[in-house]
Amino acid sequence: MYAERASRLTGAVVWTNTPTAPGTGRVLPDGCMDLLWYDGRLLVAGPDTRAHVTEGAPGPWAGVRFYPGAAPALLGVPAHELRDRRVDLTDLWPADRVRRLAARVNAAPDPASGLEEAALSRAAETDPPDPLLRRIVAALDAGRPVATTAGELSLSARQLHRRSLAAFGYGPKTLARVLRLQRALRLARAGTPLAETAARSGYADQAHLARDVRELAGAAPGELLGRRG
């Protein structure tokens, strides 16, 4: 069973997941990075370009999903170095530091709240993310073309690409595509017909939506949404 709530850390989400049956799961690209807890260990999920298929590991998981672009400053590593990867936090930070942090999380009333406190503590020690990153996300999530976004933010195409790689893990065109997929899924899950979903999300047509879903999510829209026909 999956559950989430808004975090006290701006833009972040705290979530828990306890698989109810063995089997694989599918984590879709969303432009975000996560700090994870599993079986007493701390891990980091980098930004995905395609669906990440999980193996249904038993036991509860917990995580803090950071707003796009926020995690690299907290973790001290550019996002593109973690693209499509899941790594132990000890791969990024000294082992003794991670052990102390894991002990704090494990001693918390629940791992999710422990992770949130750890994230809040780390955020208090670091400079806040560049406000420009939120403006990039907002513009691309509104469906604005990459060239238009760069011009409105007084960036060259190369500057926008470089900032995007470090903050989001991939270039602005890929980020725009991922954000468009998430817009479409929100509409479709709310019951919007797929043809209308495609039009409102910025796809050329329903076939374009279906192709993008298959490429990014590894499944047909009906399969992903649990619909027939």
mmCIF file with all atom_site columns, all heavy atoms in Angstrom, residues 205-228:
data_model
loop_
_atom_site.group_PDB
_atom_site.id
_atom_site.type_symbol
_atom_site.label_atom_id
_atom_site.label_alt_id
_atom_site.label_comp_id
_atom_site.label_asym_id
_atom_site.label_entity_id
_atom_site.label_seq_id
_atom_site.pdbx_PDB_ins_code
_atom_site.Cartn_x
_atom_site.Cartn_y
_atom_site.Cartn_z
_atom_site.occupancy
_atom_site.B_iso_or_equiv
_atom_site.pdbx_formal_charge
_atom_site.auth_seq_id
_atom_site.auth_comp_id
_atom_site.auth_asym_id
_atom_site.auth_atom_id
_atom_site.pdbx_PDB_model_num
ATOM 1   N N   . ASP A 1 205 ? -1.865  14.384 -30.656 1.00 0.00 ? 205 ASP A N   1
ATOM 2   C CA  . ASP A 1 205 ? -3.113  13.631 -30.691 1.00 0.00 ? 205 ASP A CA  1
ATOM 3   C C   . ASP A 1 205 ? -2.983  12.457 -29.732 1.00 0.00 ? 205 ASP A C   1
ATOM 4   O O   . ASP A 1 205 ? -1.959  12.280 -29.055 1.00 0.00 ? 205 ASP A O   1
ATOM 5   C CB  . ASP A 1 205 ? -3.437  13.146 -32.113 1.00 0.00 ? 205 ASP A CB  1
ATOM 6   C CG  . ASP A 1 205 ? -2.275  12.408 -32.771 1.00 0.00 ? 205 ASP A CG  1
ATOM 7   O OD1 . ASP A 1 205 ? -1.494  11.767 -32.044 1.00 0.00 ? 205 ASP A OD1 1
ATOM 8   O OD2 . ASP A 1 205 ? -2.144  12.490 -34.010 1.00 0.00 ? 205 ASP A OD2 1
ATOM 9   N N   . GLN A 1 206 ? -4.013  11.630 -29.664 1.00 0.00 ? 206 GLN A N   1
ATOM 10  C CA  . GLN A 1 206 ? -4.002  10.509 -28.734 1.00 0.00 ? 206 GLN A CA  1
ATOM 11  C C   . GLN A 1 206 ? -2.914  9.494  -29.080 1.00 0.00 ? 206 GLN A C   1
ATOM 12  O O   . GLN A 1 206 ? -2.313  8.890  -28.188 1.00 0.00 ? 206 GLN A O   1
ATOM 13  C CB  . GLN A 1 206 ? -5.374  9.826  -28.717 1.00 0.00 ? 206 GLN A CB  1
ATOM 14  C CG  . GLN A 1 206 ? -5.489  8.726  -27.656 1.00 0.00 ? 206 GLN A CG  1
ATOM 15  C CD  . GLN A 1 206 ? -6.898  8.172  -27.567 1.00 0.00 ? 206 GLN A CD  1
ATOM 16  O OE1 . GLN A 1 206 ? -7.871  8.844  -27.920 1.00 0.00 ? 206 GLN A OE1 1
ATOM 17  N NE2 . GLN A 1 206 ? -7.036  6.949  -27.080 1.00 0.00 ? 206 GLN A NE2 1
ATOM 18  N N   . ALA A 1 207 ? -2.650  9.302  -30.364 1.00 0.00 ? 207 ALA A N   1
ATOM 19  C CA  . ALA A 1 207 ? -1.597  8.367  -30.763 1.00 0.00 ? 207 ALA A CA  1
ATOM 20  C C   . ALA A 1 207 ? -0.229  8.841  -30.275 1.00 0.00 ? 207 ALA A C   1
ATOM 21  O O   . ALA A 1 207 ? 0.613   8.034  -29.853 1.00 0.00 ? 207 ALA A O   1
ATOM 22  C CB  . ALA A 1 207 ? -1.594  8.199  -32.279 1.00 0.00 ? 207 ALA A CB  1
ATOM 23  N N   . HIS A 1 208 ? -0.006  10.141 -30.334 1.00 0.00 ? 208 HIS A N   1
ATOM 24  C CA  . HIS A 1 208 ? 1.243   10.712 -29.828 1.00 0.00 ? 208 HIS A CA  1
ATOM 25  C C   . HIS A 1 208 ? 1.375   10.452 -28.335 1.00 0.00 ? 208 HIS A C   1
ATOM 26  O O   . HIS A 1 208 ? 2.443   10.050 -27.838 1.00 0.00 ? 208 HIS A O   1
ATOM 27  C CB  . HIS A 1 208 ? 1.261   12.217 -30.122 1.00 0.00 ? 208 HIS A CB  1
ATOM 28  C CG  . HIS A 1 208 ? 2.522   12.903 -29.706 1.00 0.00 ? 208 HIS A CG  1
ATOM 29  N ND1 . HIS A 1 208 ? 2.585   14.269 -29.541 1.00 0.00 ? 208 HIS A ND1 1
ATOM 30  C CD2 . HIS A 1 208 ? 3.754   12.425 -29.406 1.00 0.00 ? 208 HIS A CD2 1
ATOM 31  C CE1 . HIS A 1 208 ? 3.812   14.602 -29.179 1.00 0.00 ? 208 HIS A CE1 1
ATOM 32  N NE2 . HIS A 1 208 ? 4.542   13.508 -29.072 1.00 0.00 ? 208 HIS A NE2 1
ATOM 33  N N   . LEU A 1 209 ? 0.286   10.656 -27.600 1.00 0.00 ? 209 LEU A N   1
ATOM 34  C CA  . LEU A 1 209 ? 0.270   10.364 -26.168 1.00 0.00 ? 209 LEU A CA  1
ATOM 35  C C   . LEU A 1 209 ? 0.610   8.897  -25.915 1.00 0.00 ? 209 LEU A C   1
ATOM 36  O O   . LEU A 1 209 ? 1.442   8.577  -25.056 1.00 0.00 ? 209 LEU A O   1
ATOM 37  C CB  . LEU A 1 209 ? -1.101  10.703 -25.572 1.00 0.00 ? 209 LEU A CB  1
ATOM 38  C CG  . LEU A 1 209 ? -1.408  10.154 -24.177 1.00 0.00 ? 209 LEU A CG  1
ATOM 39  C CD1 . LEU A 1 209 ? -0.474  10.743 -23.139 1.00 0.00 ? 209 LEU A CD1 1
ATOM 40  C CD2 . LEU A 1 209 ? -2.861  10.450 -23.808 1.00 0.00 ? 209 LEU A CD2 1
ATOM 41  N N   . ALA A 1 210 ? -0.015  7.997  -26.656 1.00 0.00 ? 210 ALA A N   1
ATOM 42  C CA  . ALA A 1 210 ? 0.198   6.563  -26.451 1.00 0.00 ? 210 ALA A CA  1
ATOM 43  C C   . ALA A 1 210 ? 1.660   6.191  -26.697 1.00 0.00 ? 210 ALA A C   1
ATOM 44  O O   . ALA A 1 210 ? 2.250   5.404  -25.944 1.00 0.00 ? 210 ALA A O   1
ATOM 45  C CB  . ALA A 1 210 ? -0.725  5.761  -27.359 1.00 0.00 ? 210 ALA A CB  1
ATOM 46  N N   . ARG A 1 211 ? 2.260   6.756  -27.749 1.00 0.00 ? 211 ARG A N   1
ATOM 47  C CA  . ARG A 1 211 ? 3.662   6.453  -28.036 1.00 0.00 ? 211 ARG A CA  1
ATOM 48  C C   . ARG A 1 211 ? 4.559   6.936  -26.909 1.00 0.00 ? 211 ARG A C   1
ATOM 49  O O   . ARG A 1 211 ? 5.502   6.247  -26.500 1.00 0.00 ? 211 ARG A O   1
ATOM 50  C CB  . ARG A 1 211 ? 4.089   7.108  -29.361 1.00 0.00 ? 211 ARG A CB  1
ATOM 51  C CG  . ARG A 1 211 ? 3.502   6.471  -30.602 1.00 0.00 ? 211 ARG A CG  1
ATOM 52  C CD  . ARG A 1 211 ? 4.242   6.946  -31.849 1.00 0.00 ? 211 ARG A CD  1
ATOM 53  N NE  . ARG A 1 211 ? 4.224   8.394  -32.013 1.00 0.00 ? 211 ARG A NE  1
ATOM 54  C CZ  . ARG A 1 211 ? 3.250   9.061  -32.638 1.00 0.00 ? 211 ARG A CZ  1
ATOM 55  N NH1 . ARG A 1 211 ? 2.210   8.416  -33.143 1.00 0.00 ? 211 ARG A NH1 1
ATOM 56  N NH2 . ARG A 1 211 ? 3.319   10.379 -32.760 1.00 0.00 ? 211 ARG A NH2 1
ATOM 57  N N   . ASP A 1 212 ? 4.304   8.133  -26.417 1.00 0.00 ? 212 ASP A N   1
ATOM 58  C CA  . ASP A 1 212 ? 5.143   8.693  -25.363 1.00 0.00 ? 212 ASP A CA  1
ATOM 59  C C   . ASP A 1 212 ? 5.012   7.878  -24.081 1.00 0.00 ? 212 ASP A C   1
ATOM 60  O O   . ASP A 1 212 ? 6.007   7.644  -23.388 1.00 0.00 ? 212 ASP A O   1
ATOM 61  C CB  . ASP A 1 212 ? 4.747   10.152 -25.123 1.00 0.00 ? 212 ASP A CB  1
ATOM 62  C CG  . ASP A 1 212 ? 5.955   11.066 -24.992 1.00 0.00 ? 212 ASP A CG  1
ATOM 63  O OD1 . ASP A 1 212 ? 6.924   10.857 -25.741 1.00 0.00 ? 212 ASP A OD1 1
ATOM 64  O OD2 . ASP A 1 212 ? 5.932   11.970 -24.132 1.00 0.00 ? 212 ASP A OD2 1
ATOM 65  N N   . VAL A 1 213 ? 3.795   7.468  -23.760 1.00 0.00 ? 213 VAL A N   1
ATOM 66  C CA  . VAL A 1 213 ? 3.581   6.661  -22.560 1.00 0.00 ? 213 VAL A CA  1
ATOM 67  C C   . VAL A 1 213 ? 4.346   5.347  -22.675 1.00 0.00 ? 213 VAL A C   1
ATOM 68  O O   . VAL A 1 213 ? 5.013   4.910  -21.738 1.00 0.00 ? 213 VAL A O   1
ATOM 69  C CB  . VAL A 1 213 ? 2.079   6.408  -22.327 1.00 0.00 ? 213 VAL A CB  1
ATOM 70  C CG1 . VAL A 1 213 ? 1.873   5.360  -21.241 1.00 0.00 ? 213 VAL A CG1 1
ATOM 71  C CG2 . VAL A 1 213 ? 1.380   7.705  -21.938 1.00 0.00 ? 213 VAL A CG2 1
ATOM 72  N N   . ARG A 1 214 ? 4.265   4.707  -23.840 1.00 0.00 ? 214 ARG A N   1
ATOM 73  C CA  . ARG A 1 214 ? 4.982   3.442  -24.014 1.00 0.00 ? 214 ARG A CA  1
ATOM 74  C C   . ARG A 1 214 ? 6.491   3.620  -23.870 1.00 0.00 ? 214 ARG A C   1
ATOM 75  O O   . ARG A 1 214 ? 7.172   2.787  -23.264 1.00 0.00 ? 214 ARG A O   1
ATOM 76  C CB  . ARG A 1 214 ? 4.657   2.844  -25.379 1.00 0.00 ? 214 ARG A CB  1
ATOM 77  C CG  . ARG A 1 214 ? 3.250   2.271  -25.501 1.00 0.00 ? 214 ARG A CG  1
ATOM 78  C CD  . ARG A 1 214 ? 3.090   1.484  -26.791 1.00 0.00 ? 214 ARG A CD  1
ATOM 79  N NE  . ARG A 1 214 ? 1.739   0.992  -26.958 1.00 0.00 ? 214 ARG A NE  1
ATOM 80  C CZ  . ARG A 1 214 ? 0.771   1.628  -27.623 1.00 0.00 ? 214 ARG A CZ  1
ATOM 81  N NH1 . ARG A 1 214 ? 1.041   2.798  -28.195 1.00 0.00 ? 214 ARG A NH1 1
ATOM 82  N NH2 . ARG A 1 214 ? -0.433  1.124  -27.718 1.00 0.00 ? 214 ARG A NH2 1
ATOM 83  N N   . GLU A 1 215 ? 7.022   4.710  -24.429 1.00 0.00 ? 215 GLU A N   1
ATOM 84  C CA  . GLU A 1 215 ? 8.468   4.923  -24.382 1.00 0.00 ? 215 GLU A CA  1
ATOM 85  C C   . GLU A 1 215 ? 8.950   5.285  -22.976 1.00 0.00 ? 215 GLU A C   1
ATOM 86  O O   . GLU A 1 215 ? 9.993   4.804  -22.529 1.00 0.00 ? 215 GLU A O   1
ATOM 87  C CB  . GLU A 1 215 ? 8.861   6.020  -25.367 1.00 0.00 ? 215 GLU A CB  1
ATOM 88  C CG  . GLU A 1 215 ? 8.733   5.605  -26.824 1.00 0.00 ? 215 GLU A CG  1
ATOM 89  C CD  . GLU A 1 215 ? 9.197   6.695  -27.772 1.00 0.00 ? 215 GLU A CD  1
ATOM 90  O OE1 . GLU A 1 215 ? 9.926   7.607  -27.318 1.00 0.00 ? 215 GLU A OE1 1
ATOM 91  O OE2 . GLU A 1 215 ? 8.836   6.654  -28.957 1.00 0.00 ? 215 GLU A OE2 1
ATOM 92  N N   . LEU A 1 216 ? 8.213   6.127  -22.279 1.00 0.00 ? 216 LEU A N   1
ATOM 93  C CA  . LEU A 1 216 ? 8.654   6.597  -20.969 1.00 0.00 ? 216 LEU A CA  1
ATOM 94  C C   . LEU A 1 216 ? 8.236   5.680  -19.830 1.00 0.00 ? 216 LEU A C   1
ATOM 95  O O   . LEU A 1 216 ? 8.966   5.542  -18.840 1.00 0.00 ? 216 LEU A O   1
ATOM 96  C CB  . LEU A 1 216 ? 8.111   8.005  -20.703 1.00 0.00 ? 216 LEU A CB  1
ATOM 97  C CG  . LEU A 1 216 ? 8.656   9.126  -21.586 1.00 0.00 ? 216 LEU A CG  1
ATOM 98  C CD1 . LEU A 1 216 ? 7.961   10.435 -21.266 1.00 0.00 ? 216 LEU A CD1 1
ATOM 99  C CD2 . LEU A 1 216 ? 10.162  9.273  -21.415 1.00 0.00 ? 216 LEU A CD2 1
ATOM 100 N N   . ALA A 1 217 ? 7.048   5.081  -19.964 1.00 0.00 ? 217 ALA A N   1
ATOM 101 C CA  . ALA A 1 217 ? 6.514   4.270  -18.871 1.00 0.00 ? 217 ALA A CA  1
ATOM 102 C C   . ALA A 1 217 ? 6.626   2.776  -19.129 1.00 0.00 ? 217 ALA A C   1
ATOM 103 O O   . ALA A 1 217 ? 6.420   1.969  -18.215 1.00 0.00 ? 217 ALA A O   1
ATOM 104 C CB  . ALA A 1 217 ? 5.049   4.641  -18.608 1.00 0.00 ? 217 ALA A CB  1
ATOM 105 N N   . GLY A 1 218 ? 6.919   2.389  -20.369 1.00 0.00 ? 218 GLY A N   1
ATOM 106 C CA  . GLY A 1 218 ? 7.065   0.976  -20.671 1.00 0.00 ? 218 GLY A CA  1
ATOM 107 C C   . GLY A 1 218 ? 5.768   0.208  -20.670 1.00 0.00 ? 218 GLY A C   1
ATOM 108 O O   . GLY A 1 218 ? 5.765   -1.012 -20.471 1.00 0.00 ? 218 GLY A O   1
ATOM 109 N N   . ALA A 1 219 ? 4.662   0.889  -20.890 1.00 0.00 ? 219 ALA A N   1
ATOM 110 C CA  . ALA A 1 219 ? 3.349   0.242  -20.892 1.00 0.00 ? 219 ALA A CA  1
ATOM 111 C C   . ALA A 1 219 ? 2.388   1.069  -21.722 1.00 0.00 ? 219 ALA A C   1
ATOM 112 O O   . ALA A 1 219 ? 2.579   2.282  -21.900 1.00 0.00 ? 219 ALA A O   1
ATOM 113 C CB  . ALA A 1 219 ? 2.812   0.095  -19.471 1.00 0.00 ? 219 ALA A CB  1
ATOM 114 N N   . ALA A 1 220 ? 1.345   0.442  -22.223 1.00 0.00 ? 220 ALA A N   1
ATOM 115 C CA  . ALA A 1 220 ? 0.300   1.167  -22.939 1.00 0.00 ? 220 ALA A CA  1
ATOM 116 C C   . ALA A 1 220 ? -0.522  1.974  -21.943 1.00 0.00 ? 220 ALA A C   1
ATOM 117 O O   . ALA A 1 220 ? -0.609  1.616  -20.762 1.00 0.00 ? 220 ALA A O   1
ATOM 118 C CB  . ALA A 1 220 ? -0.591  0.190  -23.694 1.00 0.00 ? 220 ALA A CB  1
ATOM 119 N N   . PRO A 1 221 ? -1.145  3.075  -22.383 1.00 0.00 ? 221 PRO A N   1
ATOM 120 C CA  . PRO A 1 221 ? -1.933  3.880  -21.445 1.00 0.00 ? 221 PRO A CA  1
ATOM 121 C C   . PRO A 1 221 ? -2.994  3.084  -20.702 1.00 0.00 ? 221 PRO A C   1
ATOM 122 O O   . PRO A 1 221 ? -3.162  3.240  -19.485 1.00 0.00 ? 221 PRO A O   1
ATOM 123 C CB  . PRO A 1 221 ? -2.564  4.942  -22.361 1.00 0.00 ? 221 PRO A CB  1
ATOM 124 C CG  . PRO A 1 221 ? -1.607  5.079  -23.487 1.00 0.00 ? 221 PRO A CG  1
ATOM 125 C CD  . PRO A 1 221 ? -1.069  3.702  -23.718 1.00 0.00 ? 221 PRO A CD  1
ATOM 126 N N   . GLY A 1 222 ? -3.714  2.208  -21.415 1.00 0.00 ? 222 GLY A N   1
ATOM 127 C CA  . GLY A 1 222 ? -4.757  1.435  -20.748 1.00 0.00 ? 222 GLY A CA  1
ATOM 128 C C   . GLY A 1 222 ? -4.210  0.533  -19.668 1.00 0.00 ? 222 GLY A C   1
ATOM 129 O O   . GLY A 1 222 ? -4.799  0.394  -18.590 1.00 0.00 ? 222 GLY A O   1
ATOM 130 N N   . GLU A 1 223 ? -3.060  -0.085 -19.940 1.00 0.00 ? 223 GLU A N   1
ATOM 131 C CA  . GLU A 1 223 ? -2.426  -0.950 -18.944 1.00 0.00 ? 223 GLU A CA  1
ATOM 132 C C   . GLU A 1 223 ? -1.969  -0.141 -17.735 1.00 0.00 ? 223 GLU A C   1
ATOM 133 O O   . GLU A 1 223 ? -2.150  -0.541 -16.579 1.00 0.00 ? 223 GLU A O   1
ATOM 134 C CB  . GLU A 1 223 ? -1.234  -1.659 -19.578 1.00 0.00 ? 223 GLU A CB  1
ATOM 135 C CG  . GLU A 1 223 ? -0.451  -2.545 -18.619 1.00 0.00 ? 223 GLU A CG  1
ATOM 136 C CD  . GLU A 1 223 ? 0.800   -3.122 -19.256 1.00 0.00 ? 223 GLU A CD  1
ATOM 137 O OE1 . GLU A 1 223 ? 0.997   -2.905 -20.489 1.00 0.00 ? 223 GLU A OE1 1
ATOM 138 O OE2 . GLU A 1 223 ? 1.575   -3.761 -18.547 1.00 0.00 ? 223 GLU A OE2 1
ATOM 139 N N   . LEU A 1 224 ? -1.395  1.009  -18.007 1.00 0.00 ? 224 LEU A N   1
ATOM 140 C CA  . LEU A 1 224 ? -0.875  1.847  -16.939 1.00 0.00 ? 224 LEU A CA  1
ATOM 141 C C   . LEU A 1 224 ? -2.000  2.361  -16.036 1.00 0.00 ? 224 LEU A C   1
ATOM 142 O O   . LEU A 1 224 ? -1.850  2.468  -14.822 1.00 0.00 ? 224 LEU A O   1
ATOM 143 C CB  . LEU A 1 224 ? -0.103  3.015  -17.547 1.00 0.00 ? 224 LEU A CB  1
ATOM 144 C CG  . LEU A 1 224 ? 0.823   3.795  -16.626 1.00 0.00 ? 224 LEU A CG  1
ATOM 145 C CD1 . LEU A 1 224 ? 1.943   2.922  -16.095 1.00 0.00 ? 224 LEU A CD1 1
ATOM 146 C CD2 . LEU A 1 224 ? 1.382   4.993  -17.360 1.00 0.00 ? 224 LEU A CD2 1
ATOM 147 N N   . LEU A 1 225 ? -3.122  2.683  -16.662 1.00 0.00 ? 225 LEU A N   1
ATOM 148 C CA  . LEU A 1 225 ? -4.243  3.265  -15.922 1.00 0.00 ? 225 LEU A CA  1
ATOM 149 C C   . LEU A 1 225 ? -5.235  2.225  -15.425 1.00 0.00 ? 225 LEU A C   1
ATOM 150 O O   . LEU A 1 225 ? -6.218  2.577  -14.768 1.00 0.00 ? 225 LEU A O   1
ATOM 151 C CB  . LEU A 1 225 ? -4.977  4.280  -16.811 1.00 0.00 ? 225 LEU A CB  1
ATOM 152 C CG  . LEU A 1 225 ? -4.118  5.471  -17.267 1.00 0.00 ? 225 LEU A CG  1
ATOM 153 C CD1 . LEU A 1 225 ? -4.826  6.230  -18.378 1.00 0.00 ? 225 LEU A CD1 1
ATOM 154 C CD2 . LEU A 1 225 ? -3.815  6.391  -16.108 1.00 0.00 ? 225 LEU A CD2 1
ATOM 155 N N   . GLY A 1 226 ? -4.994  0.970  -15.769 1.00 0.00 ? 226 GLY A N   1
ATOM 156 C CA  . GLY A 1 226 ? -5.903  -0.075 -15.319 1.00 0.00 ? 226 GLY A CA  1
ATOM 157 C C   . GLY A 1 226 ? -7.215  -0.073 -16.050 1.00 0.00 ? 226 GLY A C   1
ATOM 158 O O   . GLY A 1 226 ? -8.241  -0.523 -15.511 1.00 0.00 ? 226 GLY A O   1
ATOM 159 N N   . ARG A 1 227 ? -7.206  0.437  -17.289 1.00 0.00 ? 227 ARG A N   1
ATOM 160 C CA  . ARG A 1 227 ? -8.441  0.466  -18.089 1.00 0.00 ? 227 ARG A CA  1
ATOM 161 C C   . ARG A 1 227 ? -8.425  -0.652 -19.115 1.00 0.00 ? 227 ARG A C   1
ATOM 162 O O   . ARG A 1 227 ? -7.373  -1.132 -19.539 1.00 0.00 ? 227 ARG A O   1
ATOM 163 C CB  . ARG A 1 227 ? -8.570  1.808  -18.829 1.00 0.00 ? 227 ARG A CB  1
ATOM 164 C CG  . ARG A 1 227 ? -8.665  3.015  -17.927 1.00 0.00 ? 227 ARG A CG  1
ATOM 165 C CD  . ARG A 1 227 ? -8.741  4.281  -18.772 1.00 0.00 ? 227 ARG A CD  1
ATOM 166 N NE  . ARG A 1 227 ? -8.794  5.468  -17.919 1.00 0.00 ? 227 ARG A NE  1
ATOM 167 C CZ  . ARG A 1 227 ? -8.829  6.698  -18.414 1.00 0.00 ? 227 ARG A CZ  1
ATOM 168 N NH1 . ARG A 1 227 ? -8.814  6.900  -19.734 1.00 0.00 ? 227 ARG A NH1 1
ATOM 169 N NH2 . ARG A 1 227 ? -8.879  7.737  -17.599 1.00 0.00 ? 227 ARG A NH2 1
ATOM 170 N N   . ARG A 1 228 ? -9.610  -1.031 -19.560 1.00 0.00 ? 228 ARG A N   1
ATOM 171 C CA  . ARG A 1 228 ? -9.735  -1.998 -20.632 1.00 0.00 ? 228 ARG A CA  1
ATOM 172 C C   . ARG A 1 228 ? -10.202 -1.295 -21.900 1.00 0.00 ? 228 ARG A C   1
ATOM 173 O O   . ARG A 1 228 ? -10.938 -0.331 -21.843 1.00 0.00 ? 228 ARG A O   1
ATOM 174 C CB  . ARG A 1 228 ? -10.726 -3.107 -20.253 1.00 0.00 ? 228 ARG A CB  1
ATOM 175 C CG  . ARG A 1 228 ? -10.283 -3.957 -19.068 1.00 0.00 ? 228 ARG A CG  1
ATOM 176 C CD  . ARG A 1 228 ? -11.267 -5.088 -18.817 1.00 0.00 ? 228 ARG A CD  1
ATOM 177 N NE  . ARG A 1 228 ? -10.811 -5.943 -17.732 1.00 0.00 ? 228 ARG A NE  1
ATOM 178 C CZ  . ARG A 1 228 ? -11.480 -6.998 -17.310 1.00 0.00 ? 228 ARG A CZ  1
ATOM 179 N NH1 . ARG A 1 228 ? -12.632 -7.333 -17.882 1.00 0.00 ? 228 ARG A NH1 1
ATOM 180 N NH2 . ARG A 1 228 ? -11.006 -7.746 -16.330 1.00 0.00 ? 228 ARG A NH2 1
#
